[in-house]
Amino acid sequence: MTNTMTDARLIALIEAWGADANAFPETERAAAKSLLAEAPDRFADELQAARDMDMLLGGLPAVTPSPALTAALMDTAPKARPQRRSWLAAIPHWPTVGAFASLAIGLAIGLATAQSGTTAATEDAVDTLVYAALGFDVINYSQETAQ
C-alpha cells in the first residue's frame, strides 16, 4: 500500500485488529501510527471501543482440547485416498493432442481444396483423357468444332 492513510482505512484497521497499532498489518503499520500521532483525539471513540473489546476478549480463558478429544477428531477425520495411476495417465497428453490437431488440419485442408475445384475443369480433364484414349487430337478437334 501507499504511505498515505485515510481516516476510513484507519478506522477499519482499528475495528479489525484492535487498539494496538503494533497488531496492524506491517505494510500499513507506519502510516497508521503516523496518522494516530497527528490526530489522537479524532480516533478516540474508535480506540476506546477497541480497547473495551480487547479487554472482553482478553478475559476469556484459553481453550485447549483434551488429548482424548484430539485423538477422536483425528480418528474420524477423512483419510486421503491412495492415488491410482492408470496406464493412460502415464502417457503425456501433448502427443495425442498434436496428433488430433494435425488430423483436423489435414482434413480441413483436404476438404477445402477438394471443394474449391469447379466441375467445368473436371469435365475438361475427362474429355481430354477420353479423346486421347480414342486417338483424337484434342487441339485439332477443338479447332474443327470452332470452324
Side-chain angles (χ1 to χ4, degrees):
M1 282 209 129
T2 60
N3 291 336
T4 60
M5 174 72 60
T6 63
D7 291 352
R9 180 62 185 152
L10 182 60
I11 291 171
L13 287 173
I14 291 170
E15 289 173 353
W17 297 95
D20 185 14
N22 292 323
F24 294 169
E26 235 178 274
T27 57
E28 298 175 303
R29 190 176 300 156
K33 283 182 179 181
S34 68
L35 185 58
L36 280 171
E38 286 175 12
D41 295 338
R42 191 179 334 162
F43 305 104
D45 294 336
E46 288 83 6
L47 288 172
Q48 186 57 44
R51 282 189 198 100
D52 293 342
M53 184 59 70
D54 290 343
M55 289 298 288
L56 284 173
L57 294 175
L60 294 175
V63 178
T64 54
S66 67
L69 178 62
T70 303
L73 288 174
M74 293 303 288
D75 289 340
T76 59
K79 305 293 186 271
R81 292 183 181 170
Q83 297 224 350
R84 290 187 226 161
R85 292 196 57 162
S86 68
W87 63 272
L88 187 60
I91 299 173
H93 295 288
W94 62 267
T96 308
V97 172
F100 281 122
S102 64
L103 175 66
I105 290 171
L107 285 173
I109 291 172
L111 290 173
T113 57
Q115 293 178 354
S116 67
T118 61
T119 57
T122 307
E123 288 175 4
D124 289 341
V126 170
D127 287 346
T128 304
L129 286 174
V130 169
Y131 293 137
L134 295 174
F136 293 111
D137 187 9
V138 177
I139 297 171
N140 291 336
Y141 181 73
S142 300
Q143 291 173 354
E144 289 174 7
T145 57
Q147 291 174 355

